[in-house]
Amino acid sequence: MGARRPLLAALAAVALAYAGCGGDDEPAASTLPSAPDTIKLSSPSIKDGKLDAANTCDGAGTPPTIVWREVPAGQAVETVLVVEDPDAKDGSFFHWTAYGMSASTGAGLAPDGQFPTGTLNGKNSAGTDGWTPPCPPEGDGPHRYIFSMYALKDASALSSGAEPQEVLDTLQGAVARGTFTATYERK
């Protein structure tokens, strides 16, 4: 039995070392809930899948323009936007939550992140309301920023400044979503 202990300890050390390197081998999974992918979500600010430096801490930090269409008519009353960085060191980092947008028109535009009147911003993972610009650690490699718009059949009843988890909880049972991913890497 005594000879097995060093072998078990060595195997455990190898397993832990391998687990710690997992981020390099396989991208971290998103924590966002799924829903039918029927909303068309895009941003003219994002070219070739890369976030412009102007939208990050290396620039002015302005939110990107968001465009959405094809929200299911008659099935949804509210849309919710969530931007998640699943590659953050300590787990998912939420850069933006916005909600309370009427789904009645089936489409919308938020130039430079300016959503229609009545839109509320929730807290981001930095603890402030609204957009917090991406600022991954230098040398960390590219981070993914998953932009997702959800259509809710019932109003969320979220108040301004809701925590990211509160927003995520309201997305369960969403009738539709649209999503795209942008990357950014600091040099």
Side-chain angles (χ1 to χ4, degrees), residues 26-78:
E26 191 172 311
S30 170
T31 60
L32 298 174
S34 63
D37 287 315
T38 57
I39 298 173
K40 305 294 185 225
L41 184 67
S42 63
S43 175
S45 305
I46 296 170
K47 308 280 192 253
D48 299 322
K50 295 188 192 269
L51 205 55
D52 189 280
N55 303 122
T56 74
C57 68
D58 292 323
T62 57
T65 295
I66 304 294
V67 178
W68 64 98
R69 56 189 168 81
E70 298 186 28
V71 174
Q75 294 181 32
V77 298
E78 182 180 338

Side-chain angles (χ1 to χ4, degrees), residues 73-170:
Q75 294 181 32
V77 298
E78 182 180 338
T79 56
V80 177
L81 178 81
V82 178
V83 180
E84 174 196 31
D85 171 3
D87 302 318
K89 178 183 165 195
D90 295 326
S92 286
F93 187 100
F94 293 93
H95 285 269
W96 200 3
T97 59
Y99 40 86
M101 297 165 281
S102 173
S104 64
T105 63
L109 171 67
D112 295 325
Q114 297 303 306
F115 284 95
T117 302
T119 300
L120 301 174
N121 283 296
K123 291 222 180 311
N124 52 52
S125 293
T128 60
D129 290 356
W131 171 255
T132 190
C135 198
E138 291 182 25
D140 205 31
H143 280 223
R144 294 170 295 143
Y145 301 91
I146 302 171
F147 290 73
S148 297
M149 173 78 67
Y150 288 84
L152 306 179
K153 67 180 176 179
D154 298 311
S156 69
L158 291 167
S159 57
S160 184
E163 295 292 333
Q165 189 59 55
E166 290 177 84
V167 177
L168 292 179
D169 290 345
T170 69

